[in-house]
């Protein structure tokens, strides 16, 4: 085998990377274990401990701090951790109306209304739809009349065409979405979410947000949907504020003296315990002494114990107040304490009315320390010196020395106010003042004004990166025009459900893995153990790569890993079956292994490429759980190829060098599936009839059941998972809820056993009112209260009608696009159109059969058979099964044709070759199918209710895929190519 050295080097390098990536979980787990021991069940103390460790080096080798290690550990999805998934939609209709100055023109407003309606029905580009609607209603109308003005004259001329206006609006819409993304991200960072995941859904006006561990839905709604308020304030200098801060500190010391003296001894003991647990120093007495000093300081200087005044060493060697607008540095964990100090009545009374304290939006670089500013209130009504409406534009730019800066442009009215404010700030040449840029009461920047700015064009410089200037430019533009963001979809998972998902997922994972290892060892004997070794290495690589890429691990992701492990066995089975054939021809073990790998490679490459194509399509068209499944599928396929083919080959080479006796079966399995000569082609009409009958029954049941049961993500609505303390009757619960939903009957199903119900309703789903969510939830609780049974709402999901229509079209696109790619790939690879047609017809056949099974079995099985995103993922995976099986058979046909030196054959000779190909690969087809089937069966039984419907689709798809590849796709080639 050539390149063994390089493969070993690559495997070792990849192993080191995976060990490094997975090591962060061990480090953080150890710190969190110490936190739990210290807290003794007190969540507040546990959080305080972890906050205190944020900037402390905890990684033994590299000295990384806990915060860094936490950001590098594996990310668990909401279904494994609990939390909220929210989809925000930026209201482009209101943006366009605001840009036009809120005109009263009937056609203009009708065009906006029509555009929104078409967007709800599945349209994509709101701006293009709006322009087309306006031109339809006003054929001679000029949009520039509404949008061109003095403030945007450099971007849009007064005589601009409608096409130019459309380009301008699309640019503004993109900018509005970017600005909203920045603002929402900063709000979430301030919320304190660990590892939030935010994504702009490209090509739409939506932002997807995942917040693990967050359960306070009302607070999240208020946080995300509040309108941004950009303000400009003058700022007090550090030396102007110190006397006030000292007065606050002294007043606190006097009022807190009794309380602190009572608790000092307890806190000191706790501090000692924390020091020991943290293990930061072997000299624990020094740490204890430091904590005692801190406790003593908290009695005499309570404010200054948590707030550091910025100072520097003066020329005389003594500390002096540092000039500038920052009046204090406070650790993140102590900001709440400082806020509480300021809010105390005795402190609020001594703070001058012209003072307003605000925090920096993010901590100082590489720290968990926030800056505190004292805003100067100059107007009697307490309003800022300037509002966000004064900004006409802001751009990330570079100064003359090539350093990043932000250029800010004011409106005409804003420029006059800006001139006055900057003149006051720069009046004293020896003491120039700063102006704070504030959004949502957080200071984003506080640049010092060097000179009066008379023309309304300002340059903001500082220690900026390119990303900093882009973010600040977006913040400055945020207050320019209103583009409200609304929650159009949300999914809340309670922590109890998340833990159950973890337990079920891990159990199914371990059991499925054991099933595969036992099967391979029993069936292929010593060669099976080689395959098992490759599987273990493969699993290690998959997890390491997932962590290193920062991928989010979800329950469907775990299913994807297990599925990949099952599919990776396919490569080993292909190789081992070919080795067996070579051994039966009388070849030696070494030569048989070499020939087996050589002959199996084309089938392995072709089958894995087809599945990889499907994985990419799943990733592109899917979202959330489907993308998680696709990510692990794609990574797993590449890793499996490396391990099953290259790693296992190196192990075999090693065993051959050691003259080990390598066996590929035992007396019970070595001759399995030999001398089989089943006439698949001759019986093809029987299979056509069987498939036709099942599809016909599916059509009958489709109309009988009033169509397919669409899930919430395909029809829109709200779904709640409710756990009761006892078994509940679904019809009784439905009758209790209906009156509270204005006689709109909800859908009530069991979700597992009779104590868990899944309640779905479209009540108020089209209502854009921010209170509609609370209204529906109150109605739900009112109905559930009438059952007189204790209940818990474990999770809820909301999908707006726009998202639902988008998902439907994405699903159609995913299936059709994948069929097209499969068709093209087969034609290119096998150079025969009838092969491509046979494969694609088989794909459509499989989709119809799976849908038919769903309609026939709907209501018969004790779990939901809904058509949703997970089902589409299952359909595409089923298609990949069929393609994998079919390609293996096509490869054997191509190999047989090469032996005859004929480009193609026809008639009875073709039938014999196709039957030979099907029978010679039958052992591999059945073994792979059974392996994957049993793996899926284990997941189905132990994987939990959340993925049972998804796995069921894969189970029946596995059966249908095997049947289709043997009895449909390849025999169709015969009927499509009867004549030359």
């Amino acid at each position: 085998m050539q390149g063994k050295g390089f493969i070993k080097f690559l495997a070792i390098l990849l192993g080191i990377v995976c060990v490094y990536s997975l090591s962060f979980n061990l480090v953080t787990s150890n710190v969190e274990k110490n936190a739990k021991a210290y807290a003794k069940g007190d969540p507040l103390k546990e959080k305080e401990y972890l906050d205190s460790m944020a900037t402390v080096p905890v990684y033994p080798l590299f000295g990384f701090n806990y915060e860094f290690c936490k950001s590098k550990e594996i990310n668990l999805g909401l279904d494994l951790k609990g939390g909220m998934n929210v989809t925000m939609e930026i209201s482009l209709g209101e943006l366009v109306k605001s840009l036009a100055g809120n005109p009263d023109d009937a056609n203009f407003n009708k065009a906006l209304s029509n555009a929104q309606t078409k967007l709800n029905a599945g349209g994509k580009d709101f701006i293009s739809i709006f322009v087309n609607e306006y031109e339809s209603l006003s054929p001679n109308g000029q949009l520039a009349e509404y949008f061109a003005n003095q403030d945007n004259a450099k971007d849009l001329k007064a005589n601009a065409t409608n096409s130019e206006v459309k380009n301008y609006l699309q640019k503004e819409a993109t900018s509005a979405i970017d600005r909203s993304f920045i603002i929402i991200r900063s709000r979430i960072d301030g919320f304190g979410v660990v590892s939030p995941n935010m994504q702009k859904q490209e090509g739409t006006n939506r932002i997807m947000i995942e917040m693990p561990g967050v359960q306070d839905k009302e607070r999240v709604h208020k946080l995300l949907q509040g309108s941004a308020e950009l303000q400009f304030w003058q700022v007090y200098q550090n030396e102007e504020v110190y006397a006030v801060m000292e007065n606050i500190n002294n007043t606190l010391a006097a009022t807190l003296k009794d309380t602190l003296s009572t608790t000092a001894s307890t806190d000191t003991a706790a501090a000692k315990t924390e020091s020991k647990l943290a293990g930061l120093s072997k000299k624990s007495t020094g740490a204890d002494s430091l904590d005692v000093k801190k406790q003593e300081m908290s009695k005499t200087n309570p404010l200054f114990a948590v707030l550091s005044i910025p100072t520097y060493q003066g020329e005389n060697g003594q500390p002096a107040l540092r000039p500038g607008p920052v009046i204090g540095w406070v650790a993140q964990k102590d900001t709440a304490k400082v806020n509480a100090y300021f809010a105390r009545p005795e402190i609020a009374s001594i703070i001058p009315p012209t003072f307003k304290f605000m925090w920096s939006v993010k901590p100082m670089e590489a720290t968990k320390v926030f800056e505190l500013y004292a805003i100067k209130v100059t107007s009697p009504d307490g309003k800022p010196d300037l509002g966000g409406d004064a900004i006409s534009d802001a751009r990330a730019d570079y100064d003359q020395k090539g350093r990043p800066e932000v250029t800010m442009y004011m409106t005409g009215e804003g420029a006059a106010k800006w001139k006055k404010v900057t003149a006051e700030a720069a009046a004293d040449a020896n003491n120039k003042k700063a102006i704070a840029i504030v959004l949502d009461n957080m200071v984003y920047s506080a640049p010092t004004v060097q000179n009066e700015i008379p023309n309304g064009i300002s340059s903001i410089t500082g220690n900026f990166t390119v990303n900093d200037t882009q973010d600040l430019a977006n913040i400055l533009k945020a207050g320019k025009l209103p583009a409200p963001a609304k929650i159009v979809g949300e999914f809340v998972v309670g922590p109890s459900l998340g833990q159950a998902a973890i337990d079920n997922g891990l159990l199914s994972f371990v059991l499925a893995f054991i099933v595969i290892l036992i099967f391979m060892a029993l069936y292929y004997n010593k060669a099976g153990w080689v395959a098992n070794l490759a599987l273990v290495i493969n699993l290690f690589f998959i997890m390491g790569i997932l962590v290193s890429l920062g991928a989010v691990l979800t329950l469907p992701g775990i299913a994807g890993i297990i599925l990949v492990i099952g599919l990776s066995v396919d490569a080993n089975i292909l190789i081992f079956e070919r080795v067996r054939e070579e051994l039966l021809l009388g070849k030696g073990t070494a030569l048989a292994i070499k020939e087996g790998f050589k002959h199996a490679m084309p089938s392995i490459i072709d089958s894995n490429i087809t599945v990889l194509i499907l994985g990419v399509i799943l990733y592109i068209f899917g979202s959330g759980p489907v993308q998680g499944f696709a990510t692990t599928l794609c990574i797993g396929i590449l890793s499996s190829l490396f391990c099953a083919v290259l790693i296992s080959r190196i192990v075999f080479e090693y065993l051959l060098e050691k003259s080990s006796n390598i066996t590929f079966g035992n007396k019970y399995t070595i001759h399995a599936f030999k001398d089989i000569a089943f006439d698949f082609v001759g019986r093809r009409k029987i299979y056509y009839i069987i498939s036709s009958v099942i599809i016909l029954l599916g059509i009958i049941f489709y109309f009988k059941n009033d169509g397919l049961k669409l899930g919430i993500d395909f029809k829109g609505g709200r779904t709640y998972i409710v756990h009761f303390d006892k078994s509940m009757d679904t019809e009784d619960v439905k009758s209790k809820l209906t009156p509270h939903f204005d006689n709109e009957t909800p859908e009530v199903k069991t979700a597992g056993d009779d104590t868990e119900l899944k309640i779905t309703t479209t009540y108020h789903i089209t209502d854009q009112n921010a209170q509609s969510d609370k209204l529906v939830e109150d109605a739900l609780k009112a109905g559930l209260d009438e059952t007189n049974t204790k209940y818990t709402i474990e999770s809820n999901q909301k999908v707006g009608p726009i998202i639902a229509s988008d998902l439907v079209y994405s699903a159609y696109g995913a299936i059709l696009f994948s069929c097209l790619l499969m068709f093209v790939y087969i034609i290119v690879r096998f150079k025969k159109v009838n092969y491509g047609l046979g494969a694609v017809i088989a794909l459509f056949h499989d989709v119809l059969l799976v849908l038919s099974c769903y309609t026939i079995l709907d209501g018969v099985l004790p779990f939901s058979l809904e058509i949703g995103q997970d089902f589409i993922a299952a359909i595409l995976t089923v298609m990949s099964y069929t393609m994998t099986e079919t390609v293996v058979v096509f490869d054997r046909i191509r190999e047989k044709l090469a032996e005859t030196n004929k480009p193609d054959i026809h008639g009875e000779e073709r039938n014999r070759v196709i039957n030979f190909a099907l029978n010679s690969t039958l052992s591999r087809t059945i073994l792979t199918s059974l392996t994957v089937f049993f793996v899926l069966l284990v997941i189905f039984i132990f994987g939990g209710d959340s993925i049972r419907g998804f796995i069921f689709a894969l189970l029946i798809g596995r059966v249908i895929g095997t049947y289709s590849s043997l009895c449909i796709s390849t025999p169709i080639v015969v009927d499509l190519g009867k004549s030359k």
Side-chain angles (χ1 to χ4, degrees):
M1 178 184 176
Q2 296 180 346
K4 280 195 295 184
F6 175 74
I7 293 168
K8 289 179 182 178
F9 170 77
L10 190 61
I12 292 171
L13 182 63
L14 188 57
I16 292 172
V17 171
C18 291
V19 167
Y20 172 75
S21 299
L22 293 170
S23 65
F24 290 105
N25 282 73
L26 297 176
V27 173
T28 55
S29 175
N30 185 53
V31 174
E32 288 158 9
K33 181 181 177 183
N34 289 341
K36 287 184 182 296
Y38 164 69
K40 296 179 180 178
D42 186 340
L44 187 60
K45 281 190 175 183
E46 185 177 341
K47 185 179 185 303
E48 287 178 353
Y49 182 96
L50 294 176
D51 284 342
S52 70
M53 297 294 291
T55 57
V56 175
V58 293
Y59 198 110
L61 187 60
F62 299 105
F64 298 135
N65 61 38
Y66 172 71
E67 184 181 24
F68 178 82
C69 294
K70 192 69 179 174
S71 69
K72 294 294 182 181
E73 71 175 6
I74 190 165
N75 294 321
L76 297 180
L78 300 188
D79 50 0
L80 295 179
K81 192 173 183 178
M84 286 188 70
N85 177 306
V86 176
T87 301
M88 304 289 296
E89 182 178 87
I90 313 305
S91 180
L92 295 185
E94 293 187 45
L95 174 69
V96 169
K97 195 170 183 179
S98 179
L99 283 168
N102 298 304
D104 294 328
D105 182 78
N107 286 339
F108 184 95
N109 290 315
K110 179 66 175 174
L112 278 177
S113 176
N114 291 348
Q116 188 63 46
T117 301
K118 290 190 175 182
L119 188 72
N120 293 350
K124 291 293 182 185
D125 186 349
F126 178 85
I127 302 299
S128 295
I129 298 172
F130 161 71
V131 172
N132 292 338
E133 287 295 313
Y134 178 78
E135 289 179 339
S136 175
L137 294 167
S138 301
N140 299 319
Q142 294 297 311
L143 286 168
E145 295 177 7
Y146 300 102
F147 297 101
N149 55 54
Q150 185 179 351
D151 291 332
N152 63 14
K154 59 183 179 297
D155 296 318
L156 191 66
K157 305 300 180 185
N159 60 350
T161 64
N162 286 353
S163 178
E164 290 172 331
V165 172
K166 182 172 80 169
N167 293 335
Y168 165 76
L169 291 177
Q170 287 175 329
K171 179 183 174 183
E172 287 295 317
T174 301
S175 177
I177 295 168
D178 290 341
R179 297 197 304 266
S180 298
F181 185 85
I182 296 292
I183 294 165
I184 292 171
R185 186 179 66 189
S186 66
R187 290 177 175 180
I188 291 172
D189 289 341
F191 192 80
V193 179
V194 177
S195 301
N197 176 31
M198 287 186 65
Q199 295 176 357
K200 282 182 284 189
Q201 297 182 343
E202 297 301 328
T204 72
N205 56 326
R206 290 190 291 275
I207 299 169
M208 189 277 290
I209 308 160
E210 282 190 346
M211 294 172 283
V214 173
Q215 299 296 324
D216 192 342
K217 192 168 75 168
E218 292 301 321
R219 187 182 169 199
V220 169
H221 282 198
K222 184 178 178 181
L223 178 82
L224 297 182
Q225 295 187 133
S227 58
E229 187 177 2
L230 180 67
Q231 301 169 336
F232 294 86
W233 295 89
Q234 294 183 55
V235 188
Y236 283 105
Q237 295 294 94
N238 189 17
E239 59 269 21
E240 296 176 297
V241 181
Y242 179 71
V244 175
M245 303 300 285
E246 193 172 36
N247 190 18
I248 293 173
N249 179 66
N250 294 336
T251 305
L252 280 170
T255 55
L256 297 177
K257 183 177 180 180
D258 294 338
T259 306
L260 287 171
S261 62
T262 304
T263 59
S265 59
T266 305
D267 290 344
T268 302
K272 289 181 180 179
T273 306
E274 178 177 348
S275 175
K276 292 175 182 177
L277 284 170
L280 303 181
S281 172
K282 294 181 181 179
K283 299 178 180 179
S284 60
T285 54
D288 294 344
S289 176
L290 186 64
D291 286 328
V292 171
K293 289 179 180 178
K294 186 177 178 181
Q295 294 298 328
E296 288 298 322
M297 187 177 180
S298 68
K299 289 189 286 184
T300 56
N301 295 286
L303 179 63
F304 294 152
V306 292
L307 182 146
S308 300
I309 300 294
T311 60
Y312 72 103
Q313 189 172 355
E315 293 180 1
N316 59 359
Q318 296 299 315
L321 293 172
R322 178 177 292 184
V326 179
I327 66 166
W329 293 318
V330 180
Q332 183 180 21
K333 66 185 180 66
D334 294 323
T335 54
K337 182 181 286 187
V338 173
N339 289 338
Y341 282 161
F342 290 159
R344 293 176 70 94
E346 69 272 19
I347 301 303
S349 64
I350 63 174
I351 297 175
T354 57
F355 276 54
K356 182 184 285 189
F357 294 110
M358 291 185 184
W359 297 103
S360 59
V361 70
K362 58 184 179 182
M364 298 163 65
E365 189 174 357
T367 71
K368 295 284 279 187
V369 176
F370 283 76
E371 296 168 319
L372 183 65
Y373 296 85
I375 301 301
K376 183 184 291 186
V377 182
T378 57
S379 63
D381 57 3
K383 290 186 177 179
D385 298 294
L386 216 63
D389 55 352
I391 304 292
S392 65
D393 197 9
R395 298 175 182 175
D397 212 336
Y398 295 91
D399 64 13
Q400 293 178 347
K401 295 183 179 180
R403 295 172 300 193
E405 68 172 15
V406 176
T407 303
M408 182 172 65
Y409 301 86
M410 296 284 186
T411 62
E413 183 181 350
K417 292 181 180 179
W418 190 237
K419 177 181 178 180
K420 179 177 179 294
V421 172
T422 53
E424 291 176 7
D428 186 351
N430 297 319
N431 187 22
K432 296 183 183 294
K433 305 294 180 65
I435 292 179
I437 301 169
V438 176
L439 185 75
D440 292 338
N441 291 320
M442 304 293 286
V443 177
Y444 279 76
S445 180
T448 300
V449 179
Q450 300 299 326
N451 298 291
E452 174 191 314
I453 303 172
N455 58 3
I457 301 176
S458 314
S459 294
I460 303 173
T461 59
N463 188 24
F464 292 143
T465 64
V466 173
N467 287 338
D468 288 338
T469 56
Q470 290 173 344
D471 287 355
L472 184 54
N474 278 325
I475 292 301
L476 290 169
K477 291 191 290 185
K480 175 188 164 189
L481 292 169
K486 299 175 182 177
I487 294 176
V488 293
E490 64 180 326
F491 180 36
V492 182
V493 181
S496 59
L497 187 62
Q499 187 58 49
I502 292 175
D503 295 340
N504 292 331
L506 287 176
L507 178 62
S508 65
F509 180 88
V510 172
L511 290 176
F513 195 63
I514 291 173
V515 165
I516 292 177
L517 296 180
I518 292 174
F519 170 77
M520 293 300 289
L522 290 177
Y523 195 87
Y524 287 108
N525 212 331
K526 198 165 187 176
W529 285 111
V530 174
N532 288 343
L533 176 62
L535 279 176
V536 172
I537 296 173
N538 182 27
L539 174 62
F540 173 67
F541 283 169
I542 290 173
M543 295 305 299
I545 293 169
L546 281 172
V547 176
S548 63
L549 292 178
V552 178
L553 185 63
T554 62
L555 204 56
I558 291 177
I561 293 173
I562 299 171
L563 197 57
V564 164
I565 291 172
L567 290 172
S568 68
V569 174
D570 183 49
N572 288 118
I573 291 175
L574 275 169
I575 294 166
F576 295 170
E577 290 300 312
R578 293 308 293 257
V579 171
R580 282 180 165 189
E581 290 181 21
E582 301 300 325
L583 289 172
L584 288 174
L585 294 175
K587 297 179 181 179
T589 304
L591 182 59
I593 290 174
K594 180 181 178 181
E595 292 294 311
F597 273 90
K598 176 184 174 182
H599 291 307
M601 279 308 296
S603 297
I604 293 171
I605 297 296
D606 285 336
S607 59
N608 278 273
I609 286 177
T610 55
V611 180
L612 187 62
I613 290 172
L614 266 296
V616 171
I617 293 171
L618 273 173
Y619 186 85
I620 293 172
F621 286 93
S623 64
V626 176
Q627 275 193 341
F629 179 79
T631 300
T632 54
L633 188 66
C634 292
I635 292 172
I637 287 168
L638 297 175
S639 175
S640 298
L641 270 174
F642 180 74
C643 295
V645 177
L646 300 179
I647 298 290
S648 61
R649 180 70 184 275
I650 287 177
V651 175
F652 278 124
E653 296 270 347
Y654 172 79
L655 293 174
L656 289 171
E657 288 174 5
K658 296 293 183 181
S659 301
S660 297
N661 180 32
I662 305 174
T663 54
F664 287 84
N666 52 55
K667 63 180 181 179
Y668 302 106
T669 63
I670 194 68
H671 296 293
F673 300 103
K674 298 303 175 186
D675 303 322
I676 293 177
F678 197 82
D679 187 9
F680 288 100
V681 175
R683 293 180 171 86
R684 64 187 184 280
K685 292 182 180 178
I686 297 175
Y687 309 138
Y688 296 164
I689 292 172
I690 293 172
S691 294
S692 300
V693 169
I694 294 174
I695 293 170
L696 182 62
L697 283 173
I699 294 171
I700 293 171
F701 276 89
Y702 174 86
F703 290 105
K704 178 179 178 292
N705 298 334
D706 296 323
L708 295 165
K709 297 294 184 198
L710 296 180
I712 181 176
D713 44 2
F714 273 13
K715 67 181 180 182
R718 292 178 176 86
T719 289
Y720 301 88
I721 301 295
V722 184
H723 176 76
F724 293 86
D725 280 1
K726 66 177 185 179
S727 297
M728 302 296 293
D729 180 77
T730 56
E731 292 300 320
D732 180 55
V733 173
K734 186 187 297 183
S735 64
K736 294 283 195 306
L737 291 172
T738 300
H740 295 281
F741 289 154
D742 288 349
N743 292 320
E744 183 180 301
T745 305
E747 186 180 89
V748 182
K749 295 181 178 179
T750 56
D753 56 36
D754 293 340
T755 63
E756 202 100 339
L757 296 185
K758 181 179 182 181
I759 301 169
T760 302
T761 177
T762 56
Y763 181 54
H764 277 287
I765 192 59
T766 58
D767 189 351
Q768 298 296 320
N769 192 322
Q771 299 300 315
S772 61
D773 293 332
K774 188 174 186 307
L775 189 150
V776 176
E777 192 162 321
D778 288 345
L780 173 72
K781 290 178 178 178
L784 295 178
D785 288 341
E786 291 183 11
T787 63
N788 296 320
T789 305
K790 189 176 179 181
Y791 63 87
T792 305
I793 300 176
E794 292 190 332
S795 72
N796 65 75
Q797 182 180 5
K798 171 189 172 184
V799 177
I802 301 176
I803 296 179
S805 62
D806 277 4
L807 290 174
V808 171
Y809 287 110
S810 294
Y812 292 158
I815 293 174
L816 294 175
F817 187 52
S818 61
C819 287
L820 176 63
L821 284 182
M822 295 300 101
F823 178 69
V824 172
Y825 180 79
I826 294 296
I827 291 177
V828 171
R829 195 73 179 88
F830 295 95
K831 299 179 177 61
K832 291 179 175 60
V833 176
N834 56 332
Y835 281 30
L837 286 173
V840 171
I841 290 172
L843 292 182
F844 279 108
H845 162 271
D846 293 355
V847 172
L848 288 174
L849 245 60
V850 173
L851 288 172
S852 296
C853 289
Y854 260 56
T855 59
I856 294 169
L857 298 175
D858 183 35
V860 177
L861 299 176
F863 51 87
S864 175
L865 290 180
E866 291 181 343
I867 309 296
Q869 277 200 92
D870 288 353
F871 176 79
I872 298 304
I875 284 288
L876 289 172
T877 309
V878 168
M879 292 164 65
S880 73
Y881 288 154
T882 301
M883 288 305 302
T884 301
E885 309 285 355
T886 303
V887 163
V888 170
V889 177
F890 285 178
D891 266 313
R892 186 56 72 95
I893 295 173
R894 180 175 55 187
E895 183 182 324
K896 197 67 176 175
L897 287 175
E899 292 176 5
T900 61
N901 292 319
K902 296 179 181 179
D904 202 356
I905 50 179
H906 301 276
E908 192 57 37
E909 187 180 5
R910 167 183 277 180
N911 293 355
R912 284 199 303 271
V913 168
I914 290 178
N915 272 327
F916 165 79
L918 289 167
N919 284 293
S920 61
T921 58
L922 188 61
S923 59
R924 172 258 160 206
T925 300
I926 292 178
L927 290 175
T928 301
S929 298
L930 285 176
T931 304
V932 176
F933 183 85
F934 284 125
V935 168
L936 290 171
L937 190 61
V938 170
I939 304 173
F940 179 78
I941 295 171
F942 298 101
D945 299 323
S946 57
I947 58 169
R948 189 153 286 150
F950 172 62
I951 298 300
F952 177 75
L954 294 180
L955 271 171
I956 61 172
R958 175 73 280 188
V959 176
I960 291 169
T962 304
Y963 160 75
S964 177
S965 64
L966 290 172
C967 306
I968 302 295
S969 60
T970 311
I972 280 177
V973 173
V974 175
D975 293 318
L976 291 175
K978 285 185 175 179
S979 63
K980 294 184 181 181

